[in-house]
Amino acid sequence: MKKHILIITIGILLGFLVGYYMLVSEQNANVNSLVLLGSSILGVLVAYLNYLISIFLDKVMPWKIYEGSRLFAGVISHFILSLCIVLLGFYIYSSINSEVSFFTTYKLTSIKLGILLFLISIVFQVVYFVLYSYYSYSILQIETVKLERNQVEHQLNALKSQISPHFLFNGLNTASSLIHKDENKASLFIRKLAQMYANVLKSYSNKLTTLNKELELVESYNFLISNRFGNKYSCEILIDDEILNTKIPPLALEMLVENAVKHNVLSEESPLRVKITNDDQFIYVENNITSTPKKVASLQIGLKNINTRYVLLTGKGVVITNGNRFLVKLPIIR
């Protein structure tokens, strides 16, 4: 709709100006409104025919392949068509008006008109080429963004598909080790594990979750681990209320706490202490380093999975410091 309004507006404007130039400026005579109305209608006709020619040439001679030839063909075809229609219109006018002879009255004016229409054709083609190039570039950019987004979606889906078996694998390992020590705790652990796994299945399909919901999952996990290890394990959460509604990839915190438990030996002499804090830019998950278990079954997911998801979602990776204490800094997503 906007396109047709633009074509009509340009046609009326150019037709009116050309009509005024032909009939008034050169002859110093007053022209009635019907003549200018006819010129405007003629201008709309020329504008639409040129538009249709442009569409035809775009199909026959695409800009991408015939850039120079397309520009030349557009200028010549628009010029010839416009000149023929305009001269035909004024010839008809002079035929109706017996006082005006087309070949004598408009001879010099027609030459000037031809030059004017040729210049207008050149300007039109240059502007059309610029707009066409911009449109093509915009379409290319949109398609590129869509392709990149689809790639990111596929990568995220692949990463998220790892999380569920990762959680279940580690949970079952913990339950297996606990069942030989305390059947009651093992039974409680399995029930809570089932509840947590249900929450995991609901949350891991999302790209992001709120920090508040993620901390609830960490609290549930802490309950399970505390039942297994007692005072050999503790997790202190000191998060500012102001960031509880910020976003975080699902299970990012839980997986970090889980990895801390998996990759350290927990004992009365060397208990594992996990601490979760924050500042304005990062969430900190740190733990002391005890000793490494001799045999740790692992799916090799953990930190790599979290870091890749952060990169895909925010363009920023996590920051890892491994010294006397193991520290992971997660960027806050607002």
Side-chain angles (χ1 to χ4, degrees):
M1 188 63 182
K2 292 180 180 179
K3 175 177 61 181
H4 294 291
I5 292 175
L6 180 62
I7 293 173
I8 292 172
T9 302
I10 293 175
I12 291 174
L13 180 61
L14 291 178
F16 182 88
L17 292 176
V18 170
Y20 186 84
Y21 169 74
M22 289 283 287
L23 300 178
V24 178
S25 297
E26 291 296 321
Q27 301 303 317
N28 296 315
N30 293 323
V31 179
N32 60 52
S33 58
L34 290 177
V35 175
L36 293 179
L37 176 62
S39 299
S40 299
I41 294 174
L42 195 65
V44 174
L45 176 63
V46 171
Y48 263 106
L49 289 175
N50 282 329
Y51 168 69
L52 294 176
I53 287 178
S54 295
I55 294 177
F56 175 76
L57 289 176
D58 287 343
K59 293 180 180 179
V60 177
M61 303 176 66
W63 284 102
K64 291 181 180 179
I65 303 175
Y66 306 100
E67 190 174 292
S69 301
R70 170 66 181 83
L71 182 62
F72 178 77
V75 171
I76 296 301
S77 59
H78 286 184
F79 167 67
I80 293 174
L81 176 67
S82 301
L83 184 62
C84 289
I85 292 176
V86 170
L87 292 180
L88 178 62
F90 284 106
Y91 176 77
I92 293 172
Y93 167 75
S94 65
S95 299
I96 296 173
N97 189 351
S98 58
E99 298 178 359
V100 178
S101 174
F102 177 79
F103 293 103
T104 57
T105 305
Y106 297 119
K107 184 176 181 180
L108 182 60
T109 305
S110 299
I111 296 174
K112 293 180 179 179
L113 178 63
I115 296 173
L116 178 62
L117 289 176
F118 184 72
L119 293 176
I120 291 175
S121 297
I122 293 176
V123 171
F124 173 81
Q125 283 301 307
V126 171
V127 172
Y128 185 83
F129 173 69
V130 171
L131 293 176
Y132 181 86
S133 300
Y134 177 75
Y135 176 77
S136 300
Y137 175 76
S138 299
I139 294 295
L140 178 62
Q141 290 295 102
I142 292 171
E143 292 300 323
T144 301
V145 170
K146 285 183 179 179
L147 179 61
E148 290 176 353
R149 183 177 296 174
N150 287 336
Q151 290 176 339
V152 169
E153 291 284 348
H154 289 315
Q155 288 176 288
L156 281 173
N157 288 334
L159 290 167
K160 288 187 292 187
S161 67
Q162 297 175 342
I163 298 173
S164 179
H166 173 271
F167 177 84
L168 184 60
F169 178 81
N170 291 331
L172 291 177
N173 270 345
T174 303
S176 176
S177 62
L178 187 61
I179 199 168
H180 298 291
K181 300 177 182 178
D182 191 324
E183 291 186 3
N184 292 330
K185 283 188 178 181
S187 177
L188 176 62
F189 183 92
I190 292 172
R191 287 197 299 271
K192 293 292 290 185
L193 178 64
Q195 293 175 5
M196 282 188 65
Y197 190 64
N199 291 331
V200 168
L201 292 177
K202 291 178 183 178
S203 64
Y204 92 96
S205 59
N206 300 322
K207 293 180 185 177
L208 294 167
T209 187
T210 63
L211 178 58
N212 192 37
K213 288 185 178 180
E214 179 69 8
L215 289 174
E216 289 177 3
L217 189 61
V218 172
E219 292 281 8
S220 297
Y221 181 77
N222 286 337
F223 175 81
L224 297 180
I225 299 302
S226 296
N227 267 281
R228 177 185 174 186
F229 292 105
N231 59 6
K232 300 176 184 177
Y233 167 84
S234 68
C235 180
E236 185 179 12
I237 300 175
L238 300 172
I239 294 293
D240 296 336
D241 293 339
E242 290 78 10
I243 69 164
L244 290 178
N245 290 322
T246 59
K247 302 297 183 179
I248 189 171
L251 275 75
L253 288 181
E254 189 279 333
M255 289 176 73
L256 290 176
V257 176
E258 191 177 310
N259 281 349
V261 174
K262 184 199 306 182
H263 294 288
N264 286 278
V265 174
L266 281 65
S267 64
E268 296 285 351
E269 296 76 19
S270 300
L272 178 65
R273 301 290 182 244
V274 180
K275 190 174 183 180
I276 303 175
T277 58
N278 73 277
D279 60 17
D280 292 337
Q281 296 183 331
F282 295 96
I283 299 169
Y284 298 86
V285 181
E286 62 177 323
N287 62 271
N288 61 315
I289 298 174
T290 59
S291 56
T292 305
K294 293 181 180 179
K295 293 183 179 180
V296 178
S298 175
L299 295 179
Q300 301 297 320
I301 299 173
L303 281 172
K304 184 179 179 181
N305 180 290
I306 297 169
N307 183 67
T308 306
R309 281 192 289 159
Y310 261 100
V311 171
L312 290 173
L313 290 168
T314 67
K316 300 177 182 178
V318 303
V319 180
I320 301 171
T321 303
N322 193 359
N324 295 327
R325 299 180 65 82
F326 189 78
L327 171 65
V328 179
K329 297 164 64 176
L330 305 176
I332 295 175
I333 305 173
R334 301 187 184 276

